[in-house]
Amino acid sequence: MQKSPMKIATVQFENKSNDKEYNLAKIDELTGRAAREGAQVAVFHECSITGYTFARDLNKEEMEAIAETIPEGPSTQRLMQIAKKHNTVVLAGLFEKDSTGLYKAYICVDGEKLIAKYRKLHPFINPHLTPGDKYCVFELFGWKCGILICYDNNVVENVRATKLLGADVIFAPHVTMCTPSTRPGAGFVDPELWHNREKDPTSLRLEFNGMKGRAWLMKWLPARAYDNAVYYVFSNPIGMDADQLKNGCSMIIDPFGDVLAECTELGDSIAVAVLRPEPLTQAGGHRYVAARRPELYRDILASHTHTPEQKVVWMQK
């Protein structure tokens, strides 16, 4: 059956660390704005409910205190109320706990239920987090959708696996950019530029759009969409996340690797795009996926011994 177009809003906002009430109020406000623009789905960044970077300094007991069960916990229930109020599907992130451990979770809800839950496969912000162990593909308005959180998108196998499981759309919530790395041009952005943005927006935009920010993102994010013939819905905070400045630029990329919509304001913002089914099969990635010869590399993947190793430069003590 032919899919109908789906209208999605990707969102950026400045969250507050460990202030769920404030963050959920912002999610409510911005979901309402998205709904007024006709969006059927509103997409928020990684740990948009809890805040993110501050968690690097928390011990296990402190992590357990901010984490919640899903879907019984108050934040999931509040998110469902927001979705119902605005008649909009909402996706947002938080820390999760259950009898098996602590997780970095991202959830999709409507006004009645939890539609999907995904646990980050490659968490690193806190040593007490347990990696997720499965991919997630679910249906929204006749479209197959997947979720990959931040670092998960840097491992290309995760993207292709999600595509092969049927995803037409990949939601990619992040807290990224504007941190040091071994690549040329990377580094922190001075928070003073953010505080002075009304007087001098140009200096801030030069940092946000250069190799510390958007220019790096555009080296690889459109390729994920293009190679796999999927829509990519990227969400990222803007402003201060704990002691780090983030540059937003939440965007929606089509299967051709082209940006359909992007947040460009130096503040809370949404960007809305209509996803149409035709590019899913018109894009080159559709032909390339069909041309695969798994018999050439099936045994390589099965027999290759590998121990996962994550090195996040700015997290090194």
Side-chain angles (χ1 to χ4, degrees):
M1 190 169 109
Q2 180 72 14
K3 299 178 181 68
S4 298
M6 179 168 58
K7 197 169 189 178
I8 290 183
T10 185
V11 185
Q12 65 183 34
F13 76 95
E14 185 177 27
N15 59 240
K16 290 186 178 181
S17 298
N18 198 18
D19 192 339
K20 297 176 188 176
E21 199 59 43
Y22 173 86
N23 296 330
L24 284 162
K26 294 299 292 187
I27 289 170
D28 186 359
E29 172 194 332
L30 291 162
T31 300
R33 182 172 162 186
R36 288 190 294 275
E37 294 196 24
Q40 298 161 274
V41 184
V43 184
F44 294 85
H45 60 265
E46 175 183 18
C47 283
S48 44
I49 293 172
T50 52
Y52 177 70
T53 305
F54 80 102
R56 72 186 189 272
D57 297 321
L58 301 186
N59 60 35
K60 186 175 183 181
E61 291 72 25
E62 291 167 330
M63 286 295 296
E64 289 173 341
I66 64 168
E68 298 182 17
T69 57
I70 297 172
E72 303 86 0
S75 292
T76 304
Q77 293 299 309
R78 174 78 176 107
L79 207 65
M80 289 168 58
Q81 292 169 3
I82 292 169
K84 186 170 187 176
K85 173 182 175 182
H86 301 292
N87 192 28
T88 304
V89 172
V90 182
L91 293 92
L94 69 162
F95 294 106
E96 179 195 6
K97 62 183 174 184
D98 70 7
S99 60
T100 65
L102 292 160
Y103 300 91
K104 175 80 68 54
Y106 194 74
I107 57 175
C108 176
V109 305
D110 63 16
E112 304 298 329
K113 63 187 177 300
L114 176 71
I115 297 173
K117 179 182 75 173
Y118 172 78
R119 290 168 169 175
K120 190 174 183 178
L121 305 176
H122 302 274
F124 61 83
I125 196 66
N126 186 282
H128 302 292
L129 290 171
T130 301
D133 61 1
K134 59 176 66 71
Y135 297 110
C136 172
V137 175
F138 58 99
E139 190 168 307
L140 284 180
F141 305 107
W143 292 70
K144 292 288 188 180
C145 302
I147 300 169
L148 292 170
I149 300 175
C150 203
Y151 199 105
D152 298 345
N153 294 273
N154 298 124
V155 180
V156 295
E157 291 88 344
N158 292 331
V159 185
R160 178 51 57 87
T162 303
K163 166 67 178 182
L164 292 177
L165 288 170
D168 306 310
V169 180
I170 294 180
F171 296 110
H174 280 64
V175 177
T176 192
M177 296 183 279
C178 304
T179 52
S181 173
T182 53
R183 61 180 171 81
F188 290 123
V189 175
D190 186 350
E192 278 305 307
L193 293 175
W194 176 252
H195 301 314
N196 198 42
R197 65 190 180 279
E198 292 184 3
K199 292 182 180 178
D200 179 16
T202 300
S203 295
L204 181 59
R205 288 191 186 278
L206 286 170
E207 291 280 77
F208 274 4
N209 292 333
M211 281 300 297
K212 292 179 179 178
R214 188 181 188 277
W216 167 76
L217 185 73
M218 300 309 286
K219 286 176 176 286
W220 63 269
L221 187 64
R224 301 293 189 270
Y226 179 85
D227 287 344
N228 295 283
V230 294
Y231 285 93
Y232 240 84
V233 183
F234 170 83
S235 50
N236 192 48
I238 192 163
M240 298 306 300
D241 180 56
D243 57 347
Q244 293 185 9
L245 179 56
K246 297 300 171 188
N247 66 323
C249 72
S250 293
M251 64 178 69
I252 299 172
I253 300 175
D254 72 11
F256 301 111
D258 296 325
V259 177
L260 292 180
E262 180 177 357
C263 296
T264 58
E265 296 178 28
L266 297 176
D268 300 349
S269 181
I270 71 169
V272 179
V274 176
L275 279 55
R276 302 185 185 281
E278 294 81 9
L280 295 170
T281 52
Q282 293 170 343
H286 175 72
R287 299 189 296 276
Y288 310 147
V289 170
R292 290 175 306 113
R293 295 183 59 194
E295 73 276 6
L296 294 175
Y297 35 82
R298 181 183 294 115
D299 291 344
I300 297 172
L301 294 175
S303 63
H304 182 65
T305 302
H306 174 69
T307 301
E309 181 182 90
Q310 272 180 272
K311 291 184 177 180
V312 180
V313 171
W314 67 266
M315 288 285 291
Q316 305 302 311
K317 297 295 185 183

